[in-house]
Amino acid sequence: MAKFAAQYATADGKIENEVIEAPNERAAAAQLESAGYTPIALRSQSASGGSGAKAVRTVRGGKRMRRALIDFTHQLAAITESGIPMVGGLKAVRDQTENAQLRNAIGRIVNRVEGGRGLAESLDAEPETFPDIYVKT
């Protein structure tokens, strides 16, 4: 089992950090989600406890950006579960988002998806806004 330094949001919006063990990054994210947490960043750790060599994107922009990203994650889940077309749902979220950085990023994502790119690829093109957990499979 590998160790991952995990940063996640609790149901009440607090940001927590802990080291968890899982076979891979996807399983670590699933473990957090099954506990009711929203993963923000996962960083592989070596057996000696240090960080792995792989660079991991994390949320930049402080507490307000993390909160906005958590809200976006909940809205994206609602879009997916409701069956609303993705582009229409993303446009609605964009129009309701107060955080300018996130609103602009969502606008660019909408343009990419309308242009035929996939959602994960469109999110991956916004490394300053979306951490690795959004785009890694």
Side-chain angles (χ1 to χ4, degrees):
M1 292 269 240
K3 290 185 179 185
F4 295 89
Q7 182 179 47
Y8 57 89
T10 63
D12 60 357
K14 290 183 181 178
I15 305 300
E16 301 285 339
N17 295 291
E18 78 176 76
V19 175
I20 59 174
E21 289 189 34
N24 55 46
E25 188 173 316
R26 178 177 263 177
Q31 184 178 335
L32 290 171
E33 290 170 350
S34 69
Y37 303 131
T38 303
I40 296 172
L42 289 169
R43 193 173 295 101
S44 177
Q45 294 193 323
S46 67
S48 64
S51 293
K54 178 181 161 191
V56 177
R57 294 188 317 211
T58 59
V59 177
R60 294 180 185 93
K63 187 175 183 176
R64 286 191 178 131
M65 184 59 187
R66 286 191 304 263
R67 180 73 245 171
L69 200 53
I70 290 167
D71 291 342
F72 172 78
T73 303
H74 287 275
Q75 291 168 321
L76 189 60
I79 291 167
T80 304
E81 291 172 3
S82 70
I84 295 171
M86 186 58 66
V87 171
L90 285 170
K91 285 179 179 179
V93 171
R94 175 199 61 204
D95 295 343
Q96 296 170 10
T97 300
E98 293 180 13
N99 183 289
Q101 178 186 348
L102 183 56
R103 183 177 52 249
N104 293 334
I106 295 169
R108 290 186 299 269
I109 289 164
V110 167
N111 292 337
R112 288 185 195 102
V113 172
E114 285 180 322
R117 292 172 73 182
L119 180 60
E121 182 182 0
S122 298
L123 290 166
D124 194 28
E126 298 291 335
E128 294 297 317
T129 305
F130 295 97
D132 280 340
I133 195 78
Y134 280 86
V135 296
K136 298 299 178 195
T137 57

